[in-house]
Amino acid sequence: LQAGEVVDVFHRYAQDPNGYFMVQTRTSGYIHPSIGTTDGWTSARVNEDWDIAHFDLAEYNTWPEIQWMHPTWYNRRGHRLDVSNPSMITQRVTPQQIRQHGEESEAQARPRLSLFHVRWGGEKPVNPVTEGAGGWGQIGATPSDNYINGLENHIFRTLGPTYEIISAFIQSSEELTKISPPLLRQVLKGQNHAA
């Protein structure tokens, strides 16, 4: 890969150090429930020359470094990402998540599976309660990021970058009634759907 080259990259929310996800419109990000693509294909620009001969999965600094090109990102609390700040859109990803732009690949194909996840978007994260009496064990409580990220990592290891995840981040039970099924049918692009 060469610095400045535009590539297709599979974004994974579980890898995003700042917890941002892609939205099509600003209102999808700041009005709750916030709904956007947490795992899926988008464009990015290669930030520095990269050669697979120097890649070591165990060494993060050997991963390709890219800058996301999608224009609108929000986090679970409805805060917009400043995409004009290069440090906020720069990330390292595995080569498995990168495809040459314009070449036939999973990036241009219809996803095999669209998943719709409802996640907590409140001020305080859900405690996974992994230890002690009543603890959920290593994976954590089902609404916790620990549990959901584990599930999403398993999906990626099983399917590779052939799926998409659309997530709704809620701050209360009442927000569940604001999720529009007709809108979801339009947003979910996969050959198969699951929630």
Side-chain angles (χ1 to χ4, degrees):
L1 299 173
Q2 296 180 343
E5 180 181 353
V6 175
V7 291
D8 295 317
V9 181
F10 192 79
H11 176 265
R12 297 189 58 223
Y13 184 79
Q15 291 177 328
D16 192 311
N18 300 305
Y20 286 91
F21 55 92
M22 298 174 278
V23 297
Q24 295 304 313
T25 65
R26 289 192 310 250
T27 54
S28 295
Y30 70 79
I31 294 178
H32 274 270
S34 297
I35 299 176
T37 303
T38 48
D39 284 34
W41 287 101
T42 190
S43 296
R45 183 170 282 109
V46 176
N47 206 39
E48 60 189 14
D49 288 346
W50 182 82
D51 184 341
I52 197 163
H54 304 292
F55 173 68
D56 180 353
L57 184 60
E59 295 292 329
Y60 181 73
N61 286 333
T62 68
W63 297 13
E65 186 177 79
I66 54 93
Q67 288 187 351
W68 300 108
M69 295 174 63
H70 187 80
T72 314
W73 300 76
Y74 277 83
N75 69 13
R76 68 176 65 220
R77 297 288 298 144
H79 298 132
R80 188 173 182 181
L81 178 67
D82 179 4
V83 296
S84 68
N85 180 348
S87 69
M88 295 301 293
I89 57 171
T90 301
Q91 183 178 346
R92 291 189 182 277
V93 297
T94 65
Q96 182 184 11
Q97 294 168 249
I98 299 176
R99 301 292 182 270
Q100 297 295 137
H101 189 68
E103 291 186 12
E104 191 173 325
S105 72
E106 306 95 328
Q108 283 80 39
R110 184 176 177 196
R112 287 174 44 197
L113 176 65
S114 288
L115 294 161
F116 177 67
H117 289 178
V118 177
R119 299 181 68 152
W120 179 244
E123 187 174 344
K124 295 182 180 176
V126 174
N127 182 344
V129 191
T130 57
E131 304 294 329
W136 289 79
Q138 181 181 7
I139 196 72
T142 54
S144 71
D145 285 342
N146 197 42
Y147 179 88
I148 296 172
N149 290 345
L151 169 66
E152 292 175 356
N153 286 336
H154 177 74
I155 292 166
F156 184 78
R157 284 191 307 270
T158 303
L159 299 177
T162 63
Y163 67 95
E164 67 176 356
I165 298 176
I166 308 299
S167 296
F169 292 89
I170 63 167
Q171 296 179 350
S172 68
S173 298
E174 293 78 32
E175 289 185 359
L176 288 171
T177 63
K178 296 179 181 178
I179 298 171
S180 167
L183 174 64
L184 287 181
R185 280 192 290 277
Q186 286 183 346
V187 172
L188 301 173
K189 299 179 292 238
Q191 299 168 26
N192 301 287
H193 299 165

PDB file of all heavy atoms in Angstrom, residues 76 119-120 124-151:
ATOM      1  N   ARG A  76     -21.831   6.968  21.140  1.00  0.00           N
ATOM      2  CA  ARG A  76     -23.085   6.520  21.761  1.00  0.00           C
ATOM      3  C   ARG A  76     -23.815   7.615  22.525  1.00  0.00           C
ATOM      4  O   ARG A  76     -24.998   7.510  22.780  1.00  0.00           O
ATOM      5  CB  ARG A  76     -22.819   5.329  22.677  1.00  0.00           C
ATOM      6  CG  ARG A  76     -22.016   5.692  23.905  1.00  0.00           C
ATOM      7  CD  ARG A  76     -21.812   4.544  24.871  1.00  0.00           C
ATOM      8  NE  ARG A  76     -21.016   3.513  24.281  1.00  0.00           N
ATOM      9  CZ  ARG A  76     -21.255   2.207  24.437  1.00  0.00           C
ATOM     10  NH1 ARG A  76     -22.220   1.793  25.196  1.00  0.00           N
ATOM     11  NH2 ARG A  76     -20.496   1.332  23.845  1.00  0.00           N
ATOM     12  N   ARG A 119     -27.901  -1.377  21.815  1.00  0.00           N
ATOM     13  CA  ARG A 119     -26.829  -1.235  22.802  1.00  0.00           C
ATOM     14  C   ARG A 119     -27.127  -0.081  23.743  1.00  0.00           C
ATOM     15  O   ARG A 119     -27.867   0.828  23.403  1.00  0.00           O
ATOM     16  CB  ARG A 119     -25.489  -1.000  22.100  1.00  0.00           C
ATOM     17  CG  ARG A 119     -25.098  -2.148  21.184  1.00  0.00           C
ATOM     18  CD  ARG A 119     -23.775  -1.921  20.533  1.00  0.00           C
ATOM     19  NE  ARG A 119     -22.713  -1.985  21.533  1.00  0.00           N
ATOM     20  CZ  ARG A 119     -21.463  -2.351  21.270  1.00  0.00           C
ATOM     21  NH1 ARG A 119     -21.121  -2.674  20.036  1.00  0.00           N
ATOM     22  NH2 ARG A 119     -20.552  -2.385  22.198  1.00  0.00           N
ATOM     23  N   TRP A 120     -26.494  -0.127  24.892  1.00  0.00           N
ATOM     24  CA  TRP A 120     -26.660   0.939  25.879  1.00  0.00           C
ATOM     25  C   TRP A 120     -25.900   2.178  25.429  1.00  0.00           C
ATOM     26  O   TRP A 120     -24.735   2.106  25.062  1.00  0.00           O
ATOM     27  CB  TRP A 120     -26.157   0.472  27.240  1.00  0.00           C
ATOM     28  CG  TRP A 120     -26.270   1.527  28.289  1.00  0.00           C
ATOM     29  CD1 TRP A 120     -25.250   2.130  28.958  1.00  0.00           C
ATOM     30  CD2 TRP A 120     -27.472   2.118  28.789  1.00  0.00           C
ATOM     31  NE1 TRP A 120     -25.735   3.050  29.840  1.00  0.00           N
ATOM     32  CE2 TRP A 120     -27.109   3.075  29.751  1.00  0.00           C
ATOM     33  CE3 TRP A 120     -28.829   1.937  28.498  1.00  0.00           C
ATOM     34  CZ2 TRP A 120     -28.046   3.843  30.437  1.00  0.00           C
ATOM     35  CZ3 TRP A 120     -29.763   2.702  29.175  1.00  0.00           C
ATOM     36  CH2 TRP A 120     -29.378   3.634  30.125  1.00  0.00           C
ATOM     37  N   LYS A 124     -23.176   6.328  31.752  1.00  0.00           N
ATOM     38  CA  LYS A 124     -22.233   5.401  32.370  1.00  0.00           C
ATOM     39  C   LYS A 124     -22.316   4.051  31.661  1.00  0.00           C
ATOM     40  O   LYS A 124     -23.399   3.561  31.387  1.00  0.00           O
ATOM     41  CB  LYS A 124     -22.549   5.232  33.846  1.00  0.00           C
ATOM     42  CG  LYS A 124     -22.358   6.511  34.632  1.00  0.00           C
ATOM     43  CD  LYS A 124     -22.628   6.314  36.097  1.00  0.00           C
ATOM     44  CE  LYS A 124     -22.428   7.638  36.807  1.00  0.00           C
ATOM     45  NZ  LYS A 124     -22.750   7.552  38.211  1.00  0.00           N
ATOM     46  N   PRO A 125     -21.155   3.434  31.391  1.00  0.00           N
ATOM     47  CA  PRO A 125     -21.185   2.123  30.729  1.00  0.00           C
ATOM     48  C   PRO A 125     -21.757   1.053  31.652  1.00  0.00           C
ATOM     49  O   PRO A 125     -21.744   1.194  32.872  1.00  0.00           O
ATOM     50  CB  PRO A 125     -19.713   1.852  30.399  1.00  0.00           C
ATOM     51  CG  PRO A 125     -18.936   2.707  31.350  1.00  0.00           C
ATOM     52  CD  PRO A 125     -19.803   3.894  31.659  1.00  0.00           C
ATOM     53  N   VAL A 126     -22.255  -0.012  31.061  1.00  0.00           N
ATOM     54  CA  VAL A 126     -22.771  -1.142  31.817  1.00  0.00           C
ATOM     55  C   VAL A 126     -21.584  -1.901  32.412  1.00  0.00           C
ATOM     56  O   VAL A 126     -20.644  -2.252  31.701  1.00  0.00           O
ATOM     57  CB  VAL A 126     -23.593  -2.091  30.904  1.00  0.00           C
ATOM     58  CG1 VAL A 126     -24.012  -3.340  31.666  1.00  0.00           C
ATOM     59  CG2 VAL A 126     -24.800  -1.368  30.345  1.00  0.00           C
ATOM     60  N   ASN A 127     -21.629  -2.132  33.723  1.00  0.00           N
ATOM     61  CA  ASN A 127     -20.594  -2.901  34.390  1.00  0.00           C
ATOM     62  C   ASN A 127     -20.742  -4.367  33.967  1.00  0.00           C
ATOM     63  O   ASN A 127     -21.800  -4.958  34.159  1.00  0.00           O
ATOM     64  CB  ASN A 127     -20.738  -2.762  35.906  1.00  0.00           C
ATOM     65  CG  ASN A 127     -19.661  -3.499  36.676  1.00  0.00           C
ATOM     66  OD1 ASN A 127     -18.971  -4.356  36.145  1.00  0.00           O
ATOM     67  ND2 ASN A 127     -19.520  -3.161  37.940  1.00  0.00           N
ATOM     68  N   PRO A 128     -19.695  -4.985  33.394  1.00  0.00           N
ATOM     69  CA  PRO A 128     -19.843  -6.366  32.933  1.00  0.00           C
ATOM     70  C   PRO A 128     -20.001  -7.389  34.057  1.00  0.00           C
ATOM     71  O   PRO A 128     -20.454  -8.492  33.823  1.00  0.00           O
ATOM     72  CB  PRO A 128     -18.565  -6.625  32.137  1.00  0.00           C
ATOM     73  CG  PRO A 128     -17.589  -5.605  32.588  1.00  0.00           C
ATOM     74  CD  PRO A 128     -18.394  -4.426  33.066  1.00  0.00           C
ATOM     75  N   VAL A 129     -19.646  -7.042  35.300  1.00  0.00           N
ATOM     76  CA  VAL A 129     -19.762  -7.936  36.461  1.00  0.00           C
ATOM     77  C   VAL A 129     -19.197  -9.317  36.124  1.00  0.00           C
ATOM     78  O   VAL A 129     -19.919 -10.296  36.042  1.00  0.00           O
ATOM     79  CB  VAL A 129     -21.231  -8.037  36.961  1.00  0.00           C
ATOM     80  CG1 VAL A 129     -21.282  -8.741  38.318  1.00  0.00           C
ATOM     81  CG2 VAL A 129     -21.894  -6.688  37.044  1.00  0.00           C
ATOM     82  N   THR A 130     -17.897  -9.355  35.903  1.00  0.00           N
ATOM     83  CA  THR A 130     -17.257 -10.612  35.513  1.00  0.00           C
ATOM     84  C   THR A 130     -16.804 -11.439  36.710  1.00  0.00           C
ATOM     85  O   THR A 130     -16.527 -12.624  36.568  1.00  0.00           O
ATOM     86  CB  THR A 130     -16.041 -10.347  34.607  1.00  0.00           C
ATOM     87  OG1 THR A 130     -15.134  -9.482  35.305  1.00  0.00           O
ATOM     88  CG2 THR A 130     -16.451  -9.712  33.297  1.00  0.00           C
ATOM     89  N   GLU A 131     -16.716 -10.842  37.895  1.00  0.00           N
ATOM     90  CA  GLU A 131     -16.175 -11.537  39.070  1.00  0.00           C
ATOM     91  C   GLU A 131     -17.209 -11.634  40.185  1.00  0.00           C
ATOM     92  O   GLU A 131     -18.190 -10.918  40.212  1.00  0.00           O
ATOM     93  CB  GLU A 131     -14.946 -10.771  39.611  1.00  0.00           C
ATOM     94  CG  GLU A 131     -13.845 -10.551  38.603  1.00  0.00           C
ATOM     95  CD  GLU A 131     -13.171 -11.827  38.159  1.00  0.00           C
ATOM     96  OE1 GLU A 131     -13.092 -12.786  38.965  1.00  0.00           O
ATOM     97  OE2 GLU A 131     -12.721 -11.888  37.001  1.00  0.00           O
ATOM     98  N   GLY A 132     -16.953 -12.530  41.124  1.00  0.00           N
ATOM     99  CA  GLY A 132     -17.711 -12.617  42.364  1.00  0.00           C
ATOM    100  C   GLY A 132     -19.042 -13.324  42.228  1.00  0.00           C
ATOM    101  O   GLY A 132     -19.432 -13.799  41.165  1.00  0.00           O
ATOM    102  N   ALA A 133     -19.740 -13.381  43.385  1.00  0.00           N
ATOM    103  CA  ALA A 133     -21.053 -14.019  43.427  1.00  0.00           C
ATOM    104  C   ALA A 133     -21.998 -13.278  42.487  1.00  0.00           C
ATOM    105  O   ALA A 133     -22.098 -12.057  42.520  1.00  0.00           O
ATOM    106  CB  ALA A 133     -21.598 -14.005  44.844  1.00  0.00           C
ATOM    107  N   GLY A 134     -22.678 -14.014  41.656  1.00  0.00           N
ATOM    108  CA  GLY A 134     -23.584 -13.395  40.690  1.00  0.00           C
ATOM    109  C   GLY A 134     -22.879 -12.858  39.462  1.00  0.00           C
ATOM    110  O   GLY A 134     -23.506 -12.281  38.579  1.00  0.00           O
ATOM    111  N   GLY A 135     -21.553 -13.034  39.387  1.00  0.00           N
ATOM    112  CA  GLY A 135     -20.789 -12.559  38.230  1.00  0.00           C
ATOM    113  C   GLY A 135     -21.118 -13.359  36.988  1.00  0.00           C
ATOM    114  O   GLY A 135     -21.541 -14.513  37.056  1.00  0.00           O
ATOM    115  N   TRP A 136     -20.899 -12.754  35.846  1.00  0.00           N
ATOM    116  CA  TRP A 136     -21.234 -13.372  34.563  1.00  0.00           C
ATOM    117  C   TRP A 136     -20.066 -14.132  33.951  1.00  0.00           C
ATOM    118  O   TRP A 136     -20.167 -14.663  32.854  1.00  0.00           O
ATOM    119  CB  TRP A 136     -21.709 -12.296  33.592  1.00  0.00           C
ATOM    120  CG  TRP A 136     -23.050 -11.750  33.922  1.00  0.00           C
ATOM    121  CD1 TRP A 136     -23.340 -10.823  34.889  1.00  0.00           C
ATOM    122  CD2 TRP A 136     -24.286 -12.077  33.312  1.00  0.00           C
ATOM    123  NE1 TRP A 136     -24.677 -10.555  34.903  1.00  0.00           N
ATOM    124  CE2 TRP A 136     -25.289 -11.315  33.931  1.00  0.00           C
ATOM    125  CE3 TRP A 136     -24.654 -12.934  32.290  1.00  0.00           C
ATOM    126  CZ2 TRP A 136     -26.619 -11.394  33.572  1.00  0.00           C
ATOM    127  CZ3 TRP A 136     -25.980 -13.005  31.928  1.00  0.00           C
ATOM    128  CH2 TRP A 136     -26.946 -12.243  32.569  1.00  0.00           C
ATOM    129  N   GLY A 137     -18.927 -14.154  34.624  1.00  0.00           N
ATOM    130  CA  GLY A 137     -17.761 -14.824  34.071  1.00  0.00           C
ATOM    131  C   GLY A 137     -16.994 -13.915  33.129  1.00  0.00           C
ATOM    132  O   GLY A 137     -17.272 -12.731  33.017  1.00  0.00           O
ATOM    133  N   GLN A 138     -16.030 -14.476  32.440  1.00  0.00           N
ATOM    134  CA  GLN A 138     -15.102 -13.701  31.613  1.00  0.00           C
ATOM    135  C   GLN A 138     -15.797 -12.839  30.561  1.00  0.00           C
ATOM    136  O   GLN A 138     -15.373 -11.733  30.271  1.00  0.00           O
ATOM    137  CB  GLN A 138     -14.120 -14.656  30.929  1.00  0.00           C
ATOM    138  CG  GLN A 138     -13.097 -13.954  30.074  1.00  0.00           C
ATOM    139  CD  GLN A 138     -12.155 -14.932  29.392  1.00  0.00           C
ATOM    140  OE1 GLN A 138     -12.331 -16.137  29.457  1.00  0.00           O
ATOM    141  NE2 GLN A 138     -11.151 -14.411  28.739  1.00  0.00           N
ATOM    142  N   ILE A 139     -16.883 -13.308  29.983  1.00  0.00           N
ATOM    143  CA  ILE A 139     -17.534 -12.584  28.884  1.00  0.00           C
ATOM    144  C   ILE A 139     -18.367 -11.406  29.383  1.00  0.00           C
ATOM    145  O   ILE A 139     -18.570 -10.432  28.678  1.00  0.00           O
ATOM    146  CB  ILE A 139     -18.363 -13.541  27.992  1.00  0.00           C
ATOM    147  CG1 ILE A 139     -18.712 -12.882  26.665  1.00  0.00           C
ATOM    148  CG2 ILE A 139     -19.597 -14.028  28.698  1.00  0.00           C
ATOM    149  CD1 ILE A 139     -17.568 -12.721  25.729  1.00  0.00           C
ATOM    150  N   GLY A 140     -18.895 -11.471  30.604  1.00  0.00           N
ATOM    151  CA  GLY A 140     -19.627 -10.343  31.168  1.00  0.00           C
ATOM    152  C   GLY A 140     -21.120 -10.388  30.904  1.00  0.00           C
ATOM    153  O   GLY A 140     -21.629 -11.248  30.193  1.00  0.00           O
ATOM    154  N   ALA A 141     -21.821  -9.424  31.498  1.00  0.00           N
ATOM    155  CA  ALA A 141     -23.269  -9.311  31.365  1.00  0.00           C
ATOM    156  C   ALA A 141     -23.649  -8.986  29.922  1.00  0.00           C
ATOM    157  O   ALA A 141     -22.946  -8.258  29.230  1.00  0.00           O
ATOM    158  CB  ALA A 141     -23.792  -8.222  32.304  1.00  0.00           C
ATOM    159  N   THR A 142     -24.787  -9.513  29.467  1.00  0.00           N
ATOM    160  CA  THR A 142     -25.184  -9.376  28.066  1.00  0.00           C
ATOM    161  C   THR A 142     -25.305  -7.941  27.561  1.00  0.00           C
ATOM    162  O   THR A 142     -25.016  -7.705  26.388  1.00  0.00           O
ATOM    163  CB  THR A 142     -26.490 -10.145  27.787  1.00  0.00           C
ATOM    164  OG1 THR A 142     -27.479  -9.723  28.711  1.00  0.00           O
ATOM    165  CG2 THR A 142     -26.271 -11.641  27.902  1.00  0.00           C
ATOM    166  N   PRO A 143     -25.722  -6.939  28.365  1.00  0.00           N
ATOM    167  CA  PRO A 143     -25.771  -5.578  27.803  1.00  0.00           C
ATOM    168  C   PRO A 143     -24.430  -4.838  27.845  1.00  0.00           C
ATOM    169  O   PRO A 143     -24.329  -3.719  27.365  1.00  0.00           O
ATOM    170  CB  PRO A 143     -26.811  -4.870  28.675  1.00  0.00           C
ATOM    171  CG  PRO A 143     -26.777  -5.583  29.976  1.00  0.00           C
ATOM    172  CD  PRO A 143     -26.402  -7.003  29.657  1.00  0.00           C
ATOM    173  N   SER A 144     -23.393  -5.470  28.369  1.00  0.00           N
ATOM    174  CA  SER A 144     -22.095  -4.791  28.499  1.00  0.00           C
ATOM    175  C   SER A 144     -21.327  -4.793  27.179  1.00  0.00           C
ATOM    176  O   SER A 144     -21.498  -5.679  26.340  1.00  0.00           O
ATOM    177  CB  SER A 144     -21.248  -5.467  29.580  1.00  0.00           C
ATOM    178  OG  SER A 144     -20.797  -6.736  29.147  1.00  0.00           O
ATOM    179  N   ASP A 145     -20.459  -3.793  27.016  1.00  0.00           N
ATOM    180  CA  ASP A 145     -19.583  -3.751  25.837  1.00  0.00           C
ATOM    181  C   ASP A 145     -18.705  -4.991  25.796  1.00  0.00           C
ATOM    182  O   ASP A 145     -18.402  -5.509  24.715  1.00  0.00           O
ATOM    183  CB  ASP A 145     -18.708  -2.498  25.855  1.00  0.00           C
ATOM    184  CG  ASP A 145     -19.466  -1.242  25.496  1.00  0.00           C
ATOM    185  OD1 ASP A 145     -20.562  -1.349  24.905  1.00  0.00           O
ATOM    186  OD2 ASP A 145     -18.972  -0.145  25.795  1.00  0.00           O
ATOM    187  N   ASN A 146     -18.281  -5.462  26.955  1.00  0.00           N
ATOM    188  CA  ASN A 146     -17.438  -6.653  27.030  1.00  0.00           C
ATOM    189  C   ASN A 146     -18.117  -7.835  26.326  1.00  0.00           C
ATOM    190  O   ASN A 146     -17.505  -8.521  25.503  1.00  0.00           O
ATOM    191  CB  ASN A 146     -17.169  -6.978  28.510  1.00  0.00           C
ATOM    192  CG  ASN A 146     -16.015  -7.906  28.711  1.00  0.00           C
ATOM    193  OD1 ASN A 146     -14.993  -7.764  28.063  1.00  0.00           O
ATOM    194  ND2 ASN A 146     -16.165  -8.850  29.625  1.00  0.00           N
ATOM    195  N   TYR A 147     -19.370  -8.065  26.627  1.00  0.00           N
ATOM    196  CA  TYR A 147     -20.119  -9.170  26.031  1.00  0.00           C
ATOM    197  C   TYR A 147     -20.358  -8.936  24.530  1.00  0.00           C
ATOM    198  O   TYR A 147     -20.089  -9.805  23.700  1.00  0.00           O
ATOM    199  CB  TYR A 147     -21.459  -9.351  26.738  1.00  0.00           C
ATOM    200  CG  TYR A 147     -22.296 -10.456  26.151  1.00  0.00           C
ATOM    201  CD1 TYR A 147     -22.164 -11.761  26.599  1.00  0.00           C
ATOM    202  CD2 TYR A 147     -23.212 -10.205  25.126  1.00  0.00           C
ATOM    203  CE1 TYR A 147     -22.917 -12.795  26.055  1.00  0.00           C
ATOM    204  CE2 TYR A 147     -23.970 -11.227  24.572  1.00  0.00           C
ATOM    205  CZ  TYR A 147     -23.815 -12.520  25.043  1.00  0.00           C
ATOM    206  OH  TYR A 147     -24.554 -13.526  24.483  1.00  0.00           O
ATOM    207  N   ILE A 148     -20.878  -7.750  24.191  1.00  0.00           N
ATOM    208  CA  ILE A 148     -21.231  -7.465  22.791  1.00  0.00           C
ATOM    209  C   ILE A 148     -19.979  -7.451  21.902  1.00  0.00           C
ATOM    210  O   ILE A 148     -19.992  -7.987  20.795  1.00  0.00           O
ATOM    211  CB  ILE A 148     -22.045  -6.160  22.673  1.00  0.00           C
ATOM    212  CG1 ILE A 148     -23.385  -6.337  23.408  1.00  0.00           C
ATOM    213  CG2 ILE A 148     -22.275  -5.784  21.220  1.00  0.00           C
ATOM    214  CD1 ILE A 148     -24.205  -5.086  23.552  1.00  0.00           C
ATOM    215  N   ASN A 149     -18.884  -6.877  22.393  1.00  0.00           N
ATOM    216  CA  ASN A 149     -17.645  -6.891  21.615  1.00  0.00           C
ATOM    217  C   ASN A 149     -17.145  -8.318  21.409  1.00  0.00           C
ATOM    218  O   ASN A 149     -16.640  -8.652  20.337  1.00  0.00           O
ATOM    219  CB  ASN A 149     -16.576  -6.033  22.281  1.00  0.00           C
ATOM    220  CG  ASN A 149     -16.889  -4.548  22.203  1.00  0.00           C
ATOM    221  OD1 ASN A 149     -17.737  -4.113  21.440  1.00  0.00           O
ATOM    222  ND2 ASN A 149     -16.195  -3.767  23.017  1.00  0.00           N
ATOM    223  N   GLY A 150     -17.299  -9.158  22.432  1.00  0.00           N
ATOM    224  CA  GLY A 150     -16.921 -10.569  22.282  1.00  0.00           C
ATOM    225  C   GLY A 150     -17.747 -11.261  21.220  1.00  0.00           C
ATOM    226  O   GLY A 150     -17.219 -12.025  20.390  1.00  0.00           O
ATOM    227  N   LEU A 151     -19.062 -10.995  21.225  1.00  0.00           N
ATOM    228  CA  LEU A 151     -19.947 -11.553  20.199  1.00  0.00           C
ATOM    229  C   LEU A 151     -19.534 -11.061  18.815  1.00  0.00           C
ATOM    230  O   LEU A 151     -19.418 -11.850  17.867  1.00  0.00           O
ATOM    231  CB  LEU A 151     -21.399 -11.156  20.486  1.00  0.00           C
ATOM    232  CG  LEU A 151     -22.417 -11.443  19.382  1.00  0.00           C
ATOM    233  CD1 LEU A 151     -22.575 -12.942  19.177  1.00  0.00           C
ATOM    234  CD2 LEU A 151     -23.752 -10.787  19.714  1.00  0.00           C
TER     235      LEU A 151
END
